[in-house]
């Protein structure tokens, strides 16, 4: 029984594991049953990288969300009728939680009638068997695998299988999801699912997908390791035309999205998180006529902060480029201050779309020299000199030392040590 708990603990990174423990504690305190479900379990079992964590609670999940929001957990999205929310933990881990529910569908694309349900009914309302697996996080059954539709076998066979004949018609965004998962996981459709997919697309069921559901898909694509692969797969199936009839051929900006994704991988190595959904959306729609861009953003019902960032992206990037090319970045210290305060998205934007030598060279200096230097502050030496860590004085000395090294005022290791000592003595 405990094997799956062991798998969870060993496959998650320490920050993600802490989130599991925190959720467990919050659910236990309220006497609620908690399960880990969906993509995280699929990726755990399939050996794929685990990005976001999905939780289900039997009961009102928002009670847990309210408590967490009081503890510095950011809630970018919440749905009161689904009792569902997305959460961003201070450690950078993203997760979602919702109430276990059953769904009954009427018209295609229209929201289903929902009702509180058990975890097993909740798993059975999902899109594909591989996403309908749960692991209990409850004291009596912690680590127990719940797999009512044998998703485990489908992960092994590398197949996508819907849970019922009407899955694509009930929730047409699953047409998009099927194509995305097939491309990302390199799975194939099992024969019945392939027929359902073909029937659904031949009757243009994809046109019935709601804008909000498609927006959720786009947010997911923006977070893919290779978004271009997902977009190419959707383009091949002519699904992007649902977003805009112009979103094809040279108006589909795959080249820049591909380059942005490569840049984002190197930014991630430097500890900078990018790109965000607004940047992805900016690049995706960049070559569309302005009218189509606005129409699409409206149909998708983008969240206000997303729309604001998307609309201001270009102006903000131009402003940063101007500062970066001018006096605001004319010394190493000024450069560091400017870029350390800039959103990673804008740095990526400049790397992608501002080829000017000076701008590129300054960003390179920041990423390749200044950031590594910042991560190697002489903390141990300072503590050995008797300065208590975490105090304002400690931080001040580290900062003064860092800026002196940045400016080239102290170069060799011996000079740096001597300088540090002098700072400590001066402060006494
Ligand atoms: N789900 C569903 N039908 C949808 C959307 C989501 O059944 N239209 C269920 C699936 O069980 C899915 C879970 O909700 O696994 C979480 O959805 P989401 O976060 O969008 O997908 P993940 O499977 O977690 O995929 P990713 O790895 O891209 O985050």
């Amino acid at each position: 029984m405990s094997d799956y708990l062991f798998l969870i603990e060993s496959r998650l990174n320490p920050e993600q594991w802490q989130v599991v423990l925190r959720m467990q504690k919050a659910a236990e305190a309220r006497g609620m049953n908690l399960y880990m479900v969906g993509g995280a379990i699929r990726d755990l079992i399939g050996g794929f990288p685990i990005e976001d964590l999905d939780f289900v609670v039997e009961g009102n999940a928002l009670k847990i969300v309210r408590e967490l929001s009081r503890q510095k957990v950011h809630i970018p999205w919440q749905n009161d009728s689904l009792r569902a929310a997305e959460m961003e933990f201070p450690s950078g881990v993203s997760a979602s939680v919702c109430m276990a529910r059953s769904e009954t569908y009427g018209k295609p694309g229209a929201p289903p009638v929902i009702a509180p349900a058990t975890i097993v009914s909740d798993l059975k309302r999902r899109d594909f068997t591989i996403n309908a697996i749960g692991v209990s996080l409850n004291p009596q059954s912690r680590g127990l695998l719940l797999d009512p539709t044998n998703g485990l076998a489908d992960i092994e066979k590398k197949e996508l299988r819907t849970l019922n004949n009407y899955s694509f018609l009930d929730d047409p965004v699953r047409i998009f999801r099927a194509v995305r998962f097939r491309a990302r996981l390199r799975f194939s459709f099992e024969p019945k699912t392939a027929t359902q997919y073909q029937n659904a697309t031949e009757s243009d069921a994809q046109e019935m997908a709601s804008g909000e559901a498609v927006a959720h898909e786009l947010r997911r694509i923006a977070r893919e390791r290779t978004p271009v692969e997902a977009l190419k797969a959707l383009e091949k199936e002519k699904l992007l035309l649902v977003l805009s009839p112009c979103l094809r051929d040279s108006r589909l900006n795959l080249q820049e999205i591909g380059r942005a994704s490569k840049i984002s991988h190197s930014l991630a190595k430097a500890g900078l998180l990018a790109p965000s959904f607004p940047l992805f959306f900016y690049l995706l729609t960049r070559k569309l006529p302005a009218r189509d861009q606005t129409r699409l953003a409206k149909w998708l019902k983008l969240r206000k902060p997303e729309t604001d960032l998307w609309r201001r992206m270009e102006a903000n990037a131009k402003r940063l480029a101007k500062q970066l090319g001018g006096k605001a970045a004319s010394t190493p210290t000024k450069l560091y201050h400017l870029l350390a305060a800039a959103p990673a998205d804008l740095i990526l934007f400049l790397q992608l779309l501002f080829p000017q030598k000076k701008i590129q060279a300054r960003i390179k200096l920041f990423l390749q020299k200044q950031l590594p230097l910042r991560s190697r502050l002489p903390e141990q030496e300072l503590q050995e000199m008797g300065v208590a860590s975490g105090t304002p004085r400690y931080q001040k000395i580290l900062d003064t030392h860092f800026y002196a090294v940045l400016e080239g005022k102290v170069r060799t290791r011996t000079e740096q040590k001597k300088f540090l000592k002098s700072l400590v003595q001066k402060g006494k």
Side-chain angles (χ1 to χ4, degrees), residues 37-40 42-43 51-52 54 96 103 105 125-128 130-132 171 173-174 177 180-181 184 213 216-217 220 224:
V37 295
R42 173 199 68 219
D43 294 340
E51 306 287 346
D52 305 333
D54 303 314
S96 75
E103 291 181 341
Y105 284 91
R125 66 143 175 109
R126 289 171 183 263
D127 51 2
F128 306 107
I130 61 165
N131 289 340
D171 185 2
V173 80
R174 290 177 177 167
R177 292 174 66 80
R180 175 165 69 89
F181 288 128
R184 188 215 292 174
H216 176 84
E217 267 309 282
R220 289 287 176 258
E224 294 272 328

Side-chain angles (χ1 to χ4, degrees), residues 199-255:
N199 291 342
T201 47
E202 273 173 15
S203 63
D204 286 333
Q206 64 273 21
E207 304 280 350
M208 306 302 287
S210 79
E212 268 172 301
V214 172
H216 176 84
E217 267 309 282
L218 288 180
R219 290 186 194 100
R220 289 287 176 258
I221 293 171
R223 296 173 65 107
E224 294 272 328
R225 255 154 227 267
T226 48
V228 166
E229 225 173 277
L231 290 172
K232 272 188 182 162
L234 292 169
E235 188 197 23
K236 200 167 161 219
E237 297 293 315
K238 302 198 173 13
L239 293 174
L240 293 178
L241 301 178
V242 174
L243 279 72
S244 158
C246 297
L247 202 54
R248 62 193 164 96
D249 307 324
S250 60
R251 290 215 189 246
L252 176 59
N253 192 11
L254 290 180
Q255 210 195 359

Side-chain angles (χ1 to χ4, degrees), residues 58-112:
E58 284 173 334
N60 186 355
L62 293 184
K63 286 188 181 168
I64 293 180
V65 173
R66 272 195 290 275
E67 189 179 314
L68 291 171
S69 74
R70 284 195 289 268
Q71 299 166 15
K72 293 196 179 145
V73 176
H74 175 55
I75 312 296
W77 174 85
Q78 182 174 314
N79 183 311
D80 292 345
S81 50
L82 293 181
R83 310 259 201 286
E86 286 172 11
M87 303 172 287
E88 282 167 12
F89 287 80
S91 57
V93 174
S94 300
S96 75
V97 65
C98 67
M99 168 188 75
R101 65 177 189 266
S102 62
E103 291 181 341
T104 316
Y105 284 91
K107 267 200 326 215

